[in-house]
Each structure stands twice: as C-alpha cells, then as structure tokens.
Amino acid sequence: MFEKLMQLFTVTDDSTADDKMTLELVTAALLLEVSKADFQEDPAEIDKIRTILLQHFSVSLGDINAFIDQARNTSADSTSLYPFTRYINDNCNNIEKYQLVLALWDVALEDGRIDKYEDHLIRKIADLIYLPHSEFIRAKLSVIGKETS
C-alpha cells in the first residue's frame, strides 16, 4: 500500500519525453502555438509554417503534413511551453534562438497583422529562452520591415 502511495508522489523521469523532442518538432510546436494564439488558425499561417520547416529543417515535402500533425499532438499533450523552451535552451545558441523568434514573428505577421495575443506569446517565448530584449525587438522590426517593403 505504501509503495503505491509513494509512486503517486515520486517525480517521474522526463528523459522519455526528452528523447522524443527534436529541434524540428519543438520549432514546429512553437510555430503552431503562435498560429493559434489569436484564436484563429489561418491557412496562410500554416502554409508559412510549412515553408519555414521545409527551408530550415530536413522535413521532406511528402512528410510535412504528417510532421505538422505530430507537432500539433505534441503541443496538445503539453501543459506548458516549458518542455519546448527547455529543449531550446539546452540545444541552441543565441543566434539560433534569434532565428526562432524571427520565424515566430513571420508566422504572426503572415495574416497581415500581429495580434496582441501573438505578440504576448512571442514575448513570453523569447523571455523563456533568455533571448535579450533588444534581439526580440530587432527580430520584430526586421519582420515588420520586410512586410512594408
């Protein structure tokens, strides 16, 4: 009886969850979170996510939809951003973190505007991955500048 009770209070090892994480999957999950932050998952934003994943990662064109579904499931199974941001912190340098935030802004602006909820979520992610605020702003202005030119 005490053994069963102890099992309830024993912290489980997160290594099995970490083994499933890849940079591609974490990035896709965070991009999807931004796409639905404004409570509308715009098809243009999903297309932008596909483009980003195809350009920057080894996801094939034939596997992209299945991969996005896998990222959706991973994101839905998570109760917070922590597993994703921890993976980024453990495996990425500041340049890669900046590139991630740049991609997040690209997705947010794909529908023509940055919603306050998208802005808040990207700011939160940037804070959690310890990206300096000046880099957060530089990424935002870079994406906005591309849109207006």
Side-chain angles (χ1 to χ4, degrees):
M1 180 168 126
F2 287 114
E3 288 176 24
K4 288 183 182 182
L5 189 58
M6 287 300 291
Q7 287 174 354
L8 289 174
F9 294 107
T10 303
V11 177
T12 58
D13 184 19
D14 288 337
S15 62
T16 56
D18 289 346
D19 292 343
K20 296 177 187 176
M21 293 284 185
T22 64
L23 186 56
E24 293 91 346
L25 189 61
V26 167
T27 300
L30 290 173
L31 292 170
L32 287 166
E33 286 296 316
V34 169
S35 77
K36 63 183 182 180
D38 59 358
F39 304 102
Q40 295 176 308
E41 196 171 71
D42 191 297
E45 291 176 341
I46 301 303
D47 288 342
K48 185 65 168 187
I49 292 170
R50 282 188 190 96
T51 302
I52 290 168
L53 294 173
L54 290 169
Q55 286 176 347
H56 298 286
F57 296 108
S58 59
V59 180
S60 71
L61 187 58
D63 296 335
I64 191 71
N65 289 330
F67 184 76
I68 288 177
D69 288 341
Q70 180 185 4
R72 266 196 187 100
N73 292 336
T74 300
S75 180
D77 290 344
S78 181
T79 57
S80 74
L81 296 171
Y82 177 73
F84 308 120
T85 58
R86 184 181 74 190
Y87 185 91
I88 296 294
N89 286 326
D90 290 346
N91 296 286
C92 296
N93 60 36
N94 273 351
I95 294 169
E96 294 164 327
K97 291 175 181 181
Y98 173 80
Q99 293 296 321
L100 171 64
V101 172
L102 200 60
L104 295 172
W105 284 121
D106 273 338
V107 170
L109 192 60
E110 187 61 27
D111 61 1
R113 66 183 184 88
I114 297 174
D115 184 82
K116 65 182 179 181
Y117 298 113
E118 292 169 329
D119 187 283
H120 174 75
L121 180 60
I122 296 170
R123 183 180 304 269
K124 184 177 182 178
I125 292 168
D127 286 345
L128 290 171
I129 62 173
Y130 307 113
L131 186 72
H133 186 71
S134 60
E135 294 297 294
F136 164 81
I137 295 297
R138 184 170 71 102
K140 182 177 184 178
L141 292 176
S142 175
V143 169
I144 291 172
K146 282 192 303 188
E147 183 71 18
T148 59
S149 58

